[in-house]
PDB file of all heavy atoms in Angstrom:
ATOM      1  N   SER A 297     -45.684  15.715  23.540  1.00 98.00           N
ATOM      2  CA  SER A 297     -44.383  16.002  22.904  1.00 98.00           C
ATOM      3  C   SER A 297     -43.652  17.117  23.636  1.00 98.00           C
ATOM      4  O   SER A 297     -42.436  17.039  23.868  1.00 98.00           O
ATOM      5  CB  SER A 297     -44.579  16.413  21.440  1.00 98.00           C
ATOM      6  OG  SER A 297     -45.149  15.357  20.706  1.00 98.00           O
ATOM      7  N   ALA A 298     -44.395  18.162  24.020  1.00 98.00           N
ATOM      8  CA  ALA A 298     -43.776  19.293  24.718  1.00 98.00           C
ATOM      9  C   ALA A 298     -43.298  18.886  26.112  1.00 98.00           C
ATOM     10  O   ALA A 298     -42.279  19.387  26.602  1.00 98.00           O
ATOM     11  CB  ALA A 298     -44.763  20.453  24.811  1.00 98.00           C
ATOM     12  N   MET A 299     -44.008  17.958  26.749  1.00 98.00           N
ATOM     13  CA  MET A 299     -43.598  17.491  28.075  1.00 98.00           C
ATOM     14  C   MET A 299     -42.319  16.663  28.001  1.00 98.00           C
ATOM     15  O   MET A 299     -41.461  16.744  28.892  1.00 98.00           O
ATOM     16  CB  MET A 299     -44.722  16.681  28.724  1.00 98.00           C
ATOM     17  CG  MET A 299     -45.887  17.521  29.231  1.00 98.00           C
ATOM     18  SD  MET A 299     -45.431  18.783  30.450  1.00 98.00           S
ATOM     19  CE  MET A 299     -44.911  17.752  31.823  1.00 98.00           C
ATOM     20  N   VAL A 300     -42.174  15.879  26.944  1.00 97.00           N
ATOM     21  CA  VAL A 300     -40.926  15.130  26.748  1.00 97.00           C
ATOM     22  C   VAL A 300     -39.768  16.115  26.605  1.00 97.00           C
ATOM     23  O   VAL A 300     -38.702  15.942  27.209  1.00 97.00           O
ATOM     24  CB  VAL A 300     -41.020  14.210  25.506  1.00 97.00           C
ATOM     25  CG1 VAL A 300     -39.652  13.627  25.169  1.00 97.00           C
ATOM     26  CG2 VAL A 300     -42.026  13.087  25.742  1.00 97.00           C
ATOM     27  N   LYS A 301     -40.004  17.163  25.823  1.00 97.00           N
ATOM     28  CA  LYS A 301     -38.965  18.184  25.615  1.00 97.00           C
ATOM     29  C   LYS A 301     -38.630  18.893  26.929  1.00 97.00           C
ATOM     30  O   LYS A 301     -37.454  19.122  27.229  1.00 97.00           O
ATOM     31  CB  LYS A 301     -39.444  19.193  24.570  1.00 97.00           C
ATOM     32  CG  LYS A 301     -38.420  20.265  24.227  1.00 97.00           C
ATOM     33  CD  LYS A 301     -38.871  21.080  23.025  1.00 97.00           C
ATOM     34  CE  LYS A 301     -37.917  22.224  22.722  1.00 97.00           C
ATOM     35  NZ  LYS A 301     -38.330  22.986  21.504  1.00 97.00           N
ATOM     36  N   MET A 302     -39.647  19.197  27.723  1.00 97.00           N
ATOM     37  CA  MET A 302     -39.396  19.869  28.996  1.00 97.00           C
ATOM     38  C   MET A 302     -38.602  18.977  29.936  1.00 97.00           C
ATOM     39  O   MET A 302     -37.693  19.421  30.634  1.00 97.00           O
ATOM     40  CB  MET A 302     -40.696  20.308  29.665  1.00 97.00           C
ATOM     41  CG  MET A 302     -40.451  21.208  30.865  1.00 97.00           C
ATOM     42  SD  MET A 302     -41.946  21.989  31.468  1.00 97.00           S
ATOM     43  CE  MET A 302     -42.682  20.608  32.311  1.00 97.00           C
ATOM     44  N   GLY A 303     -38.929  17.685  29.948  1.00 97.00           N
ATOM     45  CA  GLY A 303     -38.218  16.750  30.806  1.00 97.00           C
ATOM     46  C   GLY A 303     -36.759  16.576  30.431  1.00 97.00           C
ATOM     47  O   GLY A 303     -35.960  16.057  31.205  1.00 97.00           O
ATOM     48  N   ASN A 304     -36.401  17.023  29.218  1.00 97.00           N
ATOM     49  CA  ASN A 304     -35.016  16.939  28.741  1.00 97.00           C
ATOM     50  C   ASN A 304     -34.226  18.232  28.959  1.00 97.00           C
ATOM     51  O   ASN A 304     -33.100  18.352  28.475  1.00 97.00           O
ATOM     52  CB  ASN A 304     -34.998  16.599  27.250  1.00 97.00           C
ATOM     53  CG  ASN A 304     -35.241  15.118  27.010  1.00 97.00           C
ATOM     54  OD1 ASN A 304     -34.727  14.273  27.735  1.00 97.00           O
ATOM     55  ND2 ASN A 304     -36.036  14.799  26.005  1.00 97.00           N
ATOM     56  N   LEU A 305     -34.802  19.178  29.688  1.00 97.00           N
ATOM     57  CA  LEU A 305     -34.094  20.441  29.926  1.00 97.00           C
ATOM     58  C   LEU A 305     -32.903  20.222  30.866  1.00 97.00           C
ATOM     59  O   LEU A 305     -33.077  19.927  32.048  1.00 97.00           O
ATOM     60  CB  LEU A 305     -35.030  21.495  30.535  1.00 97.00           C
ATOM     61  CG  LEU A 305     -36.022  22.199  29.610  1.00 97.00           C
ATOM     62  CD1 LEU A 305     -36.900  23.163  30.406  1.00 97.00           C
ATOM     63  CD2 LEU A 305     -35.289  22.971  28.514  1.00 97.00           C
ATOM     64  N   SER A 306     -31.722  20.346  30.318  1.00 96.00           N
ATOM     65  CA  SER A 306     -30.450  20.336  31.075  1.00 96.00           C
ATOM     66  C   SER A 306     -30.378  19.354  32.240  1.00 96.00           C
ATOM     67  O   SER A 306     -30.088  19.753  33.370  1.00 96.00           O
ATOM     68  CB  SER A 306     -30.174  21.744  31.634  1.00 96.00           C
ATOM     69  OG  SER A 306     -30.314  22.713  30.637  1.00 96.00           O
ATOM     70  N   PRO A 307     -30.627  18.067  32.009  1.00 97.00           N
ATOM     71  CA  PRO A 307     -30.522  17.137  33.130  1.00 97.00           C
ATOM     72  C   PRO A 307     -29.063  16.903  33.528  1.00 97.00           C
ATOM     73  O   PRO A 307     -28.158  17.012  32.699  1.00 97.00           O
ATOM     74  CB  PRO A 307     -31.135  15.848  32.574  1.00 97.00           C
ATOM     75  CG  PRO A 307     -30.874  15.921  31.095  1.00 97.00           C
ATOM     76  CD  PRO A 307     -30.969  17.382  30.747  1.00 97.00           C
ATOM     77  N   LEU A 308     -28.865  16.612  34.797  1.00 97.00           N
ATOM     78  CA  LEU A 308     -27.538  16.203  35.276  1.00 97.00           C
ATOM     79  C   LEU A 308     -27.456  14.699  35.048  1.00 97.00           C
ATOM     80  O   LEU A 308     -28.342  13.955  35.477  1.00 97.00           O
ATOM     81  CB  LEU A 308     -27.386  16.513  36.763  1.00 97.00           C
ATOM     82  CG  LEU A 308     -27.435  17.987  37.165  1.00 97.00           C
ATOM     83  CD1 LEU A 308     -27.534  18.129  38.678  1.00 97.00           C
ATOM     84  CD2 LEU A 308     -26.210  18.721  36.639  1.00 97.00           C
ATOM     85  N   THR A 309     -26.427  14.245  34.344  1.00 96.00           N
ATOM     86  CA  THR A 309     -26.295  12.812  34.064  1.00 96.00           C
ATOM     87  C   THR A 309     -24.857  12.365  34.330  1.00 96.00           C
ATOM     88  O   THR A 309     -23.995  13.185  34.661  1.00 96.00           O
ATOM     89  CB  THR A 309     -26.652  12.493  32.591  1.00 96.00           C
ATOM     90  OG1 THR A 309     -25.838  13.297  31.730  1.00 96.00           O
ATOM     91  CG2 THR A 309     -28.126  12.779  32.297  1.00 96.00           C
ATOM     92  N   GLY A 310     -24.616  11.065  34.172  1.00 94.00           N
ATOM     93  CA  GLY A 310     -23.261  10.535  34.354  1.00 94.00           C
ATOM     94  C   GLY A 310     -22.789  10.692  35.779  1.00 94.00           C
ATOM     95  O   GLY A 310     -23.419  10.192  36.712  1.00 94.00           O
ATOM     96  N   ASN A 311     -21.680  11.425  35.953  1.00 94.00           N
ATOM     97  CA  ASN A 311     -21.131  11.642  37.296  1.00 94.00           C
ATOM     98  C   ASN A 311     -21.500  13.000  37.869  1.00 94.00           C
ATOM     99  O   ASN A 311     -21.034  13.372  38.951  1.00 94.00           O
ATOM    100  CB  ASN A 311     -19.601  11.499  37.266  1.00 94.00           C
ATOM    101  CG  ASN A 311     -19.176  10.076  36.969  1.00 94.00           C
ATOM    102  OD1 ASN A 311     -19.767   9.131  37.483  1.00 94.00           O
ATOM    103  ND2 ASN A 311     -18.170   9.911  36.117  1.00 94.00           N
ATOM    104  N   ASN A 312     -22.314  13.756  37.140  1.00 97.00           N
ATOM    105  CA  ASN A 312     -22.736  15.063  37.644  1.00 97.00           C
ATOM    106  C   ASN A 312     -23.835  14.897  38.688  1.00 97.00           C
ATOM    107  O   ASN A 312     -24.637  13.972  38.615  1.00 97.00           O
ATOM    108  CB  ASN A 312     -23.257  15.938  36.497  1.00 97.00           C
ATOM    109  CG  ASN A 312     -22.174  16.260  35.488  1.00 97.00           C
ATOM    110  OD1 ASN A 312     -21.065  16.619  35.870  1.00 97.00           O
ATOM    111  ND2 ASN A 312     -22.479  16.109  34.206  1.00 97.00           N
ATOM    112  N   GLY A 313     -23.874  15.808  39.655  1.00 97.00           N
ATOM    113  CA  GLY A 313     -24.906  15.741  40.682  1.00 97.00           C
ATOM    114  C   GLY A 313     -24.769  14.508  41.551  1.00 97.00           C
ATOM    115  O   GLY A 313     -23.692  13.918  41.669  1.00 97.00           O
TER     116      GLY A 313
END
Side-chain angles (χ1 to χ4, degrees):
S297 297
M299 286 302 294
V300 170
K301 183 170 176 177
M302 190 169 76
N304 281 319
L305 283 178
S306 311
L308 296 169
T309 55
N311 293 319
N312 296 314

